[in-house]
Amino acid sequence: MILEQIINDCKKGNTNAQEQIYKTLSPKIFSVCLKYSRSYEEAQDNLQEGFLLIFEKIDKYNFKGSFEGWCKRVVINYVLQQYRNQNVFEIVSENIPDNNDIEIDDENVSLDFLTRIIQELPDRYRLVFNLYVLDGYSHKEISEMLNINSGTSKSNLARAKTILKEKIELNSKMSIPKVK
């Protein structure tokens, strides 16, 4: 298998193999970085640091599961560690109302607009929203990854959804042409 040989070459420090992996995976890894970063520039920094970490830890990849998935996990963990070091999470009580019923009615919302408003969310809301909604982690998994309790994860998700819905509704109202 060609990928297996490239990975083995990377484990030996072969820069050509590293370049091949970077060129192949960087668009997908960059989209992960965009989801978890505050800005495009921060996503670029996280991409570079993430690949340095991937190549540093590549010896730990044991060919079980997808290599792309392993790389994404390394980068997500790297980005989350940056936020954990900044203490962006607030602890809340476990008595959180279930707010999973928030629906986005407007199908005309552009992907660029959605990406921008997700990036504008406060760190704690954006990270939980991305992990839960976009990457499919459970609140239990999120609480372990971010060192918060499940109630905090649920609360942050509910607040993120509320903020996004308000921004989408405001955008929809602003883009409706006025009739004279």
Side-chain angles (χ1 to χ4, degrees), residues 129-166:
F129 179 85
N130 286 332
L131 288 167
Y132 187 85
V133 174
L134 302 179
D135 291 325
Y137 290 99
S138 70
H139 287 295
K140 182 179 186 308
E141 292 170 316
I142 294 169
S143 68
E144 291 168 2
M145 292 169 82
L146 302 178
N147 295 325
I148 59 176
N149 63 46
S150 293
T152 301
S153 178
K154 291 175 184 176
S155 171
N156 288 343
L157 175 63
R159 186 67 185 125
K161 287 181 175 182
T162 300
I163 292 169
L164 292 173
K165 183 176 182 187
E166 289 169 358

Side-chain angles (χ1 to χ4, degrees), residues 60-169:
K60 295 181 180 180
Y61 179 68
N62 57 11
F63 298 96
K64 292 183 180 170
S66 124
F67 179 67
E68 180 182 323
W70 179 84
C71 290
K72 285 180 181 180
R73 182 72 173 204
V74 168
V75 172
I76 289 171
N77 286 335
Y78 167 76
V79 174
L80 294 180
Q81 184 60 44
Q82 304 311 302
Y83 290 113
R84 278 194 294 269
N85 292 341
Q86 297 170 13
N87 293 322
V88 299
F89 302 103
E90 58 188 47
I91 306 303
V92 297
S93 73
E94 291 281 343
N95 300 327
I96 306 302
D98 187 7
N99 200 8
N100 288 332
D101 295 340
I102 294 177
E103 301 264 338
I104 297 173
D105 295 330
D106 191 348
E107 295 177 3
N108 297 321
V109 177
S110 74
L111 183 57
D112 288 340
F113 177 72
L114 282 175
T115 301
R116 184 172 53 80
I117 65 173
I118 290 171
Q119 284 181 328
E120 290 172 355
L121 287 170
D123 296 335
R124 63 186 176 267
Y125 301 150
R126 185 182 67 256
L127 296 173
V128 172
F129 179 85
N130 286 332
L131 288 167
Y132 187 85
V133 174
L134 302 179
D135 291 325
Y137 290 99
S138 70
H139 287 295
K140 182 179 186 308
E141 292 170 316
I142 294 169
S143 68
E144 291 168 2
M145 292 169 82
L146 302 178
N147 295 325
I148 59 176
N149 63 46
S150 293
T152 301
S153 178
K154 291 175 184 176
S155 171
N156 288 343
L157 175 63
R159 186 67 185 125
K161 287 181 175 182
T162 300
I163 292 169
L164 292 173
K165 183 176 182 187
E166 289 169 358
K167 288 184 177 198
I168 289 168
E169 287 173 351

Side-chain angles (χ1 to χ4, degrees), residues 1-10 16-18 20-21 24 58 61 63 67:
M1 175 181 261
I2 294 175
L3 179 60
E4 189 173 328
Q5 183 59 49
I6 294 170
I7 293 168
N8 284 327
D9 288 347
C10 280
N16 289 332
Q18 290 174 341
Q20 281 185 284
I21 286 179
T24 302
I58 201 161
Y61 179 68
F63 298 96
F67 179 67

